[in-house]
Amino acid sequence: MTAMTTGNTSRADANRRRILDVALAELLRDPDASMDQIARAAGVVRRTVYGHFPSREALISTLVDEAVETLADADDRARDAVTDPAEAVARSVLAIWEIADRYRLLVALAQRTVTVQGIRERLAPLREDKVQLLQQGLDQGVFHSPLPAPALAYVHEQMLFAVMEAVNDGLLTAREAGRSATVAVLTAAGVPASTATALVARVSEET
C-alpha cells in the first residue's frame, strides 16, 4: 500500500468516525435529523456521508451496532470476578444502564428503523451471557422464577426497554431510573424487594 493510499484510507476512516460521532449527537438532540443536517454538523458535504452510509437507516444501524458493543464491554467489566449471581446482575444492570441512558433516545429511534427484531438479534450475545448468569442463580437458589433462564432473560431485556421508554416519555427521571430498573430486574428474578433494594444501594455506593 502506497503512502498516498494509506493517507486516503486514514482520512476516510477519520471522516467516518467523525460522521458517526456527530450523527449520534445530532440524533439524540433531534431524532428527525436528516442526512443533510448531519453532514453540515460534521463539516462535510452530503456526498461524503452517503459515501460511508448509503442511507439514514444504514447510519442508524451502525450506531446501534456500536452501542451494543459498548454495552457488552460494560457488562463484561461489571461482572468480572463477581461470584454472587444477584450481585453480578445488579452490577451488570447498573453498568449497562449508565451506558444505555446515553443511547435511550437512539434505541427509541432505532425501533422505527432497525426494527425490534433487529435490535434483539444484535443483543443475542449479551443475552446469552445473561442466560448463563440467571441459570447459575436459579441452580443456586439465589433466584426463584417459574420461567426458565432463557425466558427470564427476555423478560429482563424488555423491562429495561420499557424503563427507557418511561424515561423518554417523562414518567421517570433518568437519575432514578438506573437503580429502579436494577431493583425491578432482581425482584423479577425472585429476589425479595428489600434484599434487592439494599444490594443495589450498596453496589451503587461502590461504583
Side-chain angles (χ1 to χ4, degrees), residues 138-171:
L138 290 169
D139 291 342
Q140 294 179 7
V142 175
F143 300 143
H144 306 276
S145 174
L147 297 174
L152 187 55
Y154 267 104
V155 169
H156 284 183
E157 188 176 293
Q158 292 307 306
M159 286 178 71
L160 292 179
F161 279 132
V163 173
M164 286 184 193
E165 291 179 5
V167 174
N168 288 343
D169 290 343
L171 304 176

Side-chain angles (χ1 to χ4, degrees), residues 8-78:
N8 289 339
T9 301
S10 298
R11 185 162 58 252
D13 289 344
N15 277 340
R16 184 178 186 277
R17 182 69 263 160
R18 174 165 175 73
I19 290 167
L20 285 170
D21 290 343
V22 170
L24 178 60
E26 288 296 303
L27 288 168
L28 294 182
R29 183 183 62 80
D30 175 12
D32 295 318
S34 67
M35 295 289 265
D36 283 342
Q37 286 176 258
I38 292 168
R40 287 196 298 272
V44 298
V45 297
R46 188 168 179 264
R47 183 175 61 186
T48 300
V49 176
Y50 278 105
H52 291 285
F53 307 100
S55 66
R56 187 172 181 271
E57 289 72 22
L59 174 59
I60 292 172
S61 181
T62 301
L63 288 171
V64 171
D65 284 340
E66 289 197 347
V68 169
E69 184 177 343
T70 302
L71 292 175
D73 289 343
D75 174 62
D76 284 341
R77 289 195 302 273

Side-chain angles (χ1 to χ4, degrees), residues 185-196:
V185 164
L186 287 169
T187 55
V191 177
S194 58
T195 302

Side-chain angles (χ1 to χ4, degrees), residues 76-150:
D76 284 341
R77 289 195 302 273
R79 293 188 295 108
D80 186 41
V82 179
T83 57
D84 176 62
E87 182 174 342
V89 167
R91 290 186 180 278
S92 171
V93 175
L94 286 169
I96 286 175
W97 183 265
E98 184 176 344
I99 304 298
D101 187 51
R102 304 176 197 170
Y103 294 108
R104 58 187 167 80
L105 292 175
L106 175 64
V107 170
L109 176 63
Q111 288 177 330
R112 298 188 227 160
T113 57
V114 180
T115 75
V116 173
Q117 184 59 35
I119 295 174
R120 283 178 177 169
E121 290 172 358
R122 286 166 168 81
L123 290 172
L126 186 60
R127 189 183 309 117
E128 289 172 6
D129 289 340
K130 284 295 173 294
V131 170
Q132 294 179 15
L133 178 57
L134 291 171
Q135 188 61 60
Q136 179 187 352
L138 290 169
D139 291 342
Q140 294 179 7
V142 175
F143 300 143
H144 306 276
S145 174
L147 297 174

